């Protein structure tokens, strides 16, 4: 599938990581790449090895014209719901760019509120280099936060499952309850907290 690119200089890609997990912020990134400084090997962050992601993240930070990582917090997710919180975080990522984007490609099928023209691209992280770069930065950032959380709460296994709803995560929730970082608006968390009362 060929994506038509508008004839403007500054095109940003934006993507999110962390809509599905039961814990932690939803993290977004926006990236404007430098056509004079191409980056080989950009792809959907989920299809890359962790080692490759980390290497590419460093290269993106060095070579991109600009990038900005943003988030919506757990309390914002619980207050707004995950979809609206994700859209808010995407808006923050684009607005935080040091260079103002003239056009934005957004991964997925919905557009956040933006002050510039934008296009939603389903599977955009495989089709648009700017979105691929954004997905890599967002994933590397969130994964690192899960590793940090794992040090604080080793009994939950965050380093392994990154906060996603796995058997091990449910077992830890049942045994230890929720951390202050869990999304209490998410039904699996609510159910387990109700059982513990």
């Amino acid at each position: 599938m060929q994506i038509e690119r508008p004839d403007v200089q500054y095109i940003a890609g934006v993507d999110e990581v962390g809509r599905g997990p039961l814990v932690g912020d939803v993290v977004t990134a926006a990236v404007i790449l430098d056509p004079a400084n191409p980056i080989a090997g950009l792809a959907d962050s989920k299809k890359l090895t962790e080692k490759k992601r980390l290497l590419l993240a460093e290269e993106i930070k060095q070579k991109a014209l600009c990038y900005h990582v943003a988030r919506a917090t757990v309390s914002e997710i619980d207050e707004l719901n995950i979809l609206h919180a994700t859209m808010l975080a995407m808006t923050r990522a684009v607005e935080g760019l040091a260079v103002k984007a003239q056009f934005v490609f957004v991964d997925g099928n919905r557009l956040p509120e933006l002050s510039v023209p934008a296009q939603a691209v389903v599977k955009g992280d495989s089709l648009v280099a700017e979105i691929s770069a954004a997905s890599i930065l967002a994933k590397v950032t969130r994964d690192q936060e899960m590793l940090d959380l794992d040090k604080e709460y080793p009994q939950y296994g965050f380093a392994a499952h990154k906060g996603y709803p796995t058997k091990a995560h449910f077992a830890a929730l049942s045994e230890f309850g929720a951390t202050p970082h869990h999304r209490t608006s998410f039904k699996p968390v609510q159910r387990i907290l109700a059982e513990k009362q």
Side-chain angles (χ1 to χ4, degrees):
M1 182 177 159
Q2 198 59 36
I3 303 292
E4 263 190 60
R5 295 175 69 85
D7 187 20
V8 295
Q9 191 175 0
Y10 300 123
I11 297 176
V14 64
D15 200 3
E16 55 70 32
V17 172
R19 275 175 70 163
L22 308 176
V23 70
D25 298 348
V26 60
V27 176
T28 55
V31 179
I32 298 177
L33 294 173
D34 181 355
N37 234 339
I39 300 168
L42 288 176
D44 173 2
S45 64
K46 296 183 286 295
K47 293 179 180 158
L48 298 166
T49 63
E50 186 177 4
K51 187 179 171 190
K52 183 74 177 149
R53 269 199 306 274
L54 289 168
L55 289 170
L56 278 168
E58 285 313 306
E59 195 176 350
I60 292 161
K61 288 175 182 176
Q62 285 165 15
K63 290 184 173 178
L65 281 178
C66 62
Y67 67 90
H68 187 72
V69 176
R71 66 190 57 248
T73 62
V74 171
S75 56
E76 287 173 325
I77 292 167
D78 287 340
E79 189 183 326
L80 297 170
N81 82 32
I82 185 63
L83 176 66
H84 289 102
T86 300
M87 293 295 122
L88 174 63
M90 283 184 162
T91 302
R92 286 172 176 164
V94 174
E95 286 178 354
L97 289 168
V99 176
K100 185 168 170 59
Q102 294 161 293
F103 189 89
V104 182
F105 282 116
V106 180
D107 186 55
N109 58 2
R110 287 171 185 263
L111 288 175
E113 280 184 34
L114 296 169
S115 58
V116 293
Q119 180 185 339
V121 184
V122 175
K123 295 196 168 37
D125 42 13
S126 302
L127 298 167
V128 178
E130 288 83 356
I131 296 179
S132 304
S135 81
I136 290 164
L137 290 187
K139 180 147 178 61
V140 165
T141 301
R142 200 189 129 85
D143 282 359
Q144 185 55 54
E145 288 172 11
M146 286 295 105
L147 294 176
D148 295 343
L149 209 56
D150 186 72
K151 291 190 184 95
E152 210 178 325
Y153 302 96
Q155 67 273 36
Y156 288 87
F158 293 134
H161 56 64
K162 304 294 192 285
Y164 282 89
T166 62
K167 268 187 186 164
H169 193 177
F170 285 138
L173 268 173
S174 287
E175 188 173 349
F176 304 110
T179 70
H181 305 278
H182 274 90
R183 302 171 180 178
T184 52
S185 60
F186 276 39
K187 288 205 164 55
V189 180
Q190 283 179 347
R191 193 176 64 238
I192 283 167
L193 289 178
E195 284 166 7
K196 285 192 77 70
Q197 280 172 358

